[in-house]
C-alpha cells in the first residue's frame, strides 16, 4: 500500500479546466463618431464662438446646428446651442436643445443651467399682482443644483 501512495503522489495534478470566455455584452454607449467628423464638429463650435463674438448670432446658431449634425451624440454641443438660443431670446428653441442635451447626458451642467434659468425667469415674471410660482421656482432650483 505504501508503494501505491508514493505512485499517486508522483502523478501530476490534473490541468485546470480552461475558463469559458465571458459572454459578450452589448454596449449601452452610443456609436462613436469618427475622429474627422468630430474634429469638423468642434471646428463649427469654435467658429460659432468667434461669430458670436462678432455679434453674428444667427450665423453662430447655424454653425452650432451644423456641429450637432456632425456629432449628434454630443450633449455639450446641444447644450451650447441651448445656451446660444437663450442668449438670443429664443426660449422655445433653447428649451428643446437643452432637453436634447439632457437626453444625451442627463448630468450635463450647461443644459441644467439653461433650463433652470428659463424656469426661474418665468416664475419670477408673473403679473405684478401675483407672487412667483413656487412650483416653477422649485423646478428651477432642481436644475441649478445639478448644474
Amino acid at each position: 500500500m505504501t508503494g501505491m501512495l508514493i505512485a499517486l503522489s508522483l502523478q501530476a495534478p490534473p490541468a485546470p479546466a480552461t475558463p469559458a470566455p465571458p459572454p459578450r455584452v452589448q454596449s449601452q454607449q452610443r456609436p462613436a463618431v469618427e475622429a474627422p467628423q468630430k474634429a469638423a464638429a468642434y471646428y463649427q463650435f469654435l467658429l460659432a464662438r468667434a461669430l458670436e463674438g462678432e455679434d453674428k448670432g444667427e450665423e453662430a446658431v447655424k454653425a452650432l446646428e451644423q456641429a450637432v449634425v456632425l456629432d449628434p451624440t454630443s450633449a455639450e454641443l446641444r447644450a451650447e446651442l441651448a445656451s446660444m438660443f437663450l442668449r438670443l431670446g429664443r426660449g422655445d428653441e433653447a428649451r428643446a436643445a437643452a432637453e436634447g442635451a439632457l437626453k444625451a447626458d442627463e448630468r450635463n451642467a450647461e443644459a441644467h443651467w439653461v433650463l433652470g434659468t428659463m424656469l426661474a425667469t418665468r416664475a419670477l415674471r408673473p403679473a405684478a399682482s401675483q407672487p412667483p410660482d413656487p412650483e416653477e421656482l422649485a423646478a428651477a432650483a432642481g436644475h441649478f443644483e445639478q448644474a
Side-chain angles (χ1 to χ4, degrees):
M1 180 138 160
T2 307
M4 192 188 290
L5 288 175
I6 293 173
L8 287 174
S9 65
L10 294 177
Q11 289 180 340
T18 306
R24 291 186 62 131
V25 177
Q26 289 285 16
S27 174
Q28 297 298 328
Q29 296 178 349
R30 295 190 171 127
V33 175
E34 296 295 323
Q37 194 170 339
K38 188 176 270 303
Y42 281 90
Y43 168 78
Q44 292 295 320
F45 165 79
L46 293 172
L47 177 61
R49 285 289 180 103
L51 289 166
E52 185 183 23
E54 296 172 2
D55 292 325
K56 297 178 181 177
E58 293 307 316
E59 290 178 50
V61 165
K62 288 177 184 172
L64 279 173
E65 288 173 332
Q66 182 61 34
V68 170
V69 167
L70 290 165
D71 188 357
T73 64
S74 173
E76 290 300 322
L77 292 173
R78 290 176 186 278
E80 181 64 26
L81 181 59
S83 187
M84 176 79 66
F85 281 137
L86 186 63
R87 290 190 297 273
L88 294 173
R90 294 167 60 175
D92 291 340
E93 292 160 296
R95 175 184 286 268
E99 289 171 349
L102 291 178
K103 284 180 185 173
D105 177 4
E106 66 188 21
R107 298 174 302 166
N108 185 280
E110 182 74 11
H112 280 293
W113 182 87
V114 168
L115 290 172
T117 299
M118 292 179 69
L119 288 167
T121 300
R122 193 167 64 196
L124 296 172
R125 281 197 197 164
S129 63
Q130 298 175 359
D133 183 334
E135 288 180 18
E136 285 192 339
L137 283 176
H143 283 293
F144 285 134
E145 287 172 356
Q146 295 181 68

